[in-house]
Amino acid sequence: MKKIALNIDGKDAQAAEGDTILNAARENGIYIPTLCYHPRTKQAGKCRICVVEVKGLPDLQVSCSLQARDGMTVNTTSERIIETRKMIVELYLSSGRHNCISCEASGECELQDAAYHLGLEKSNFPVIPKDLPVDSSSPMIIKDMNKCIQCFRCVEGCNNVVVNEVLEMGFRGGDMTVVCDTNKPMGKSSCVICGECVQLCPTAALLEKKAAGKGRTWELKKVRTTCPYCGVGCQMHLHVKDNEIIKVTGVEDAAPNFGTLCIKGRFGYDFVHSPERLRSPLIKRDGEFVEASWEEALDFTAEKLLEIKKTHGTEAIVGIGCARTTNENNYIMMKFMRAAVGTNNVDHCART
Ligand code: SF4
Ligand code: SF4
Ligand code: SF4
C-alpha cells in the first residue's frame, strides 16, 4: 500500500494513502478521542469530538472523516481544539442522565473516558433532565435512552455490520432517540438478540441484562477463548468474576468474527455453571441413567458395539461427530468407526 508523509503535532508521521487523519494519528501513537467512530462502523462524523486543525484550512476539521494527504500539517492539541472538545462533552453530559457513580458502564464508558481525558468533572451547561422509560422488554438487553449520545454506532452496526435492520433513529431534535422497528419495545421487535449494538455502544444506553449488578468492570477478569457452539470458531472474551462468567464480548481485532457474535455465543453461557451438566458418564440400567466410571462406560460401549455387530452387522452402527469438539477429535471418531468398528456410516451434527 502506498504511504504518504505528514506532520502531526510537530512529529513526522506516515500513513497509508486513503486513510483518515484519525487513523493516521492512531497509527503513529497519537490519541484523539472519539465517541461515534468505531473501526467496524467506519466514518461517522456525528459527535465531532475528534476535531483537529489542518494548516491552510480555517475551520476545525473532523478527523474521522477527513482523508490524510501527503504533506499535511495537523495539530491535535491546540487550546481551540481542547475547548471545543470540552464543550461537546459538556453538552453530552448535560443532555442525558449521566450518573456515573452507579452506572453499569462506569470504567468502560467512552463518554466517561473522554471527560476524564479532558479533565471535566461536570458540565457547565444547565442539565436538561431526561426521564425516558427504560426498555427492559428484551430478554437479554436493557435499552436506556437516557444514556444515549446519538452516536449512531448501534444503528450502523445493526443495519450494516450484522444487517438485521432493526434499529434506526426516531423522532427529531432533542427528542431524537434509537428506536426498534419504528418504535416497538425491543422485546417485541424483529431483534434477533445478536448483541452487536450492545458491544458497539460507547455508553450504558445498551447493556447486557444478565450482567447488570453482577460486578464493576474493573473487578472482571477478561479471558480470551473460542466460542464452543459451532465450527466457525468465533473469538470471544469471557468477563469473569469469582470464577463465574458475567458476560461475553467478541474480540474486535481477531478473525473470523471481528467482534460480532450470534445470540448463542454472546448470551448462551449459562450452561457452563449449570448444576445439570454431565460430570461423569451415565449408563442406562433398568430404565434409569446411573453414573459410571470411564472404565465401566468404555467397557459397556465396546461390549454393546460387538453385540450389535455380531447380531445385525456393522451397517447397523452409525457414528455422529460433534460440532463443538475439535477437528482432531472428529477425525479420531471417524477413523475409529471405519477402521475399528468397520462401518462407513459416519456423519456430523452440523449437517443435520
Ligand atoms: S453512560 Fe457513561 S457517562 Fe453516562 S453515567 Fe454511565 S458511565 Fe457515566
Ligand atoms: S441485538 Fe442485534 S438485531 Fe437486535 S437491535 Fe441489536 S444489533 Fe440489531
Ligand atoms: S444507543 Fe449507544 S450506540 Fe446507539 S446511538 Fe445511543 S449511545 Fe450510540
Side-chain angles (χ1 to χ4, degrees):
M1 190 175 282
K2 200 175 160 203
K3 291 275 180 189
I4 56 163
L6 64 164
N7 186 290
I8 308 177
D9 293 342
K11 291 186 202 133
D12 289 336
Q14 286 217 320
E17 194 177 42
D19 224 347
T20 59
I21 294 177
L22 174 70
N23 277 337
R26 287 188 173 177
E27 286 292 312
N28 288 277
I30 295 164
Y31 172 71
I32 297 178
T34 52
L35 290 171
C36 63
Y37 172 82
H38 189 282
R40 290 196 293 124
T41 51
K42 305 280 189 267
Q43 284 183 8
K46 301 284 189 302
C47 77
R48 308 187 99 75
I49 192 184
C50 68
V51 286
V52 295
E53 285 172 345
V54 176
K55 194 172 173 188
L57 299 177
D59 296 327
L60 291 176
Q61 301 295 314
V62 180
S63 69
C64 73
S65 302
L66 186 69
Q67 263 187 24
R69 302 266 183 220
D70 202 37
M72 243 180 192
T73 300
V74 179
N75 186 341
T76 74
T77 55
S78 72
E79 200 182 329
R80 179 164 72 135
I81 292 168
I82 301 301
E83 287 311 311
T84 305
R85 288 180 184 162
K86 279 184 174 171
M87 186 185 69
I88 295 168
V89 172
E90 284 185 54
L91 283 168
Y92 277 133
L93 292 175
S94 70
S95 62
R97 204 169 58 210
H98 292 291
N99 175 8
C100 300
I101 296 169
S102 57
C103 180
E104 283 291 333
S106 185
E108 60 179 357
C109 169
E110 293 173 48
L111 178 58
Q112 195 185 53
D113 286 348
Y116 180 82
H117 170 74
L118 293 164
L120 286 172
E121 284 186 12
K122 62 177 180 57
S123 176
N124 286 313
F125 293 103
V127 175
I128 305 161
K130 259 192 182 173
D131 201 13
L132 298 168
V134 176
D135 179 357
S136 301
S137 59
S138 165
M140 296 295 162
I141 299 169
I142 299 171
K143 181 170 169 280
D144 181 358
M145 289 301 103
N146 297 299
K147 294 188 173 175
C148 174
I149 57 169
Q150 288 99 25
C151 70
F152 278 70
R153 274 194 203 172
C154 57
V155 176
E156 279 294 310
C158 186
N159 290 283
N160 298 327
V161 179
V162 288
V163 200
N164 287 325
E165 300 180 339
V166 179
L167 299 180
E168 60 184 319
M169 278 292 172
F171 306 99
R172 290 293 171 264
D175 293 332
M176 187 163 77
T177 189
V178 179
V179 295
C180 305
D181 291 345
T182 60
N183 209 16
K184 285 185 184 164
M186 196 173 224
K188 296 250 186 302
S189 73
S190 58
C191 169
V192 297
I193 321 179
C194 67
E196 179 76 7
C197 54
V198 179
Q199 176 144 345
L200 290 171
C201 183
T203 68
L206 293 164
L207 281 175
E208 286 93 351
K209 198 183 232 179
K210 286 198 290 185
K214 292 257 181 84
R216 311 311 312 262
T217 46
W218 50 88
E219 295 174 321
L220 307 182
K221 189 172 139 203
K222 231 166 145 182
V223 182
R224 167 96 178 250
T225 190
T226 301
C227 178
Y229 275 109
C230 82
V232 174
C234 289
Q235 293 301 295
M236 49 169 53
H237 281 127
L238 309 179
H239 300 253
V240 180
K241 185 183 170 195
D242 299 335
N243 246 359
E244 188 193 347
I245 300 171
I246 304 298
K247 67 175 178 181
V248 171
T249 51
V251 180
E252 291 281 351
D253 54 359
N257 52 315
F258 295 101
T260 294
L261 292 170
C262 73
I263 182 172
K264 291 191 295 178
R266 195 181 295 278
F267 298 113
Y269 51 82
D270 294 345
F271 74 92
V272 175
H273 307 293
S274 170
E276 291 176 5
R277 275 186 81 170
L278 294 183
R279 291 174 197 278
S280 59
L282 300 177
I283 297 176
K284 204 170 202 178
R285 299 190 196 281
D286 302 326
E288 293 285 324
F289 281 114
V290 182
E291 285 201 1
S293 67
W294 278 105
E295 287 74 20
E296 280 176 294
L298 289 171
D299 286 350
F300 181 81
T301 308
E303 190 187 303
K304 288 290 173 195
L305 284 174
L306 283 170
E307 198 180 303
I308 296 167
K309 196 169 161 179
K310 198 169 161 197
T311 320
H312 303 287
T314 53
E315 285 307 296
I317 300 172
V318 178
I320 306 278
C322 173
R324 295 193 200 178
T325 191
T326 60
N327 286 340
E328 289 78 3
N329 280 346
N330 274 318
Y331 178 81
I332 289 168
M333 190 283 299
M334 182 276 294
K335 205 72 183 162
F336 172 74
M337 293 312 287
R338 292 193 208 278
V341 177
T343 178
N344 288 321
N345 293 335
V346 179
D347 214 327
H348 189 276
C349 71
R351 277 184 6 102
T352 55

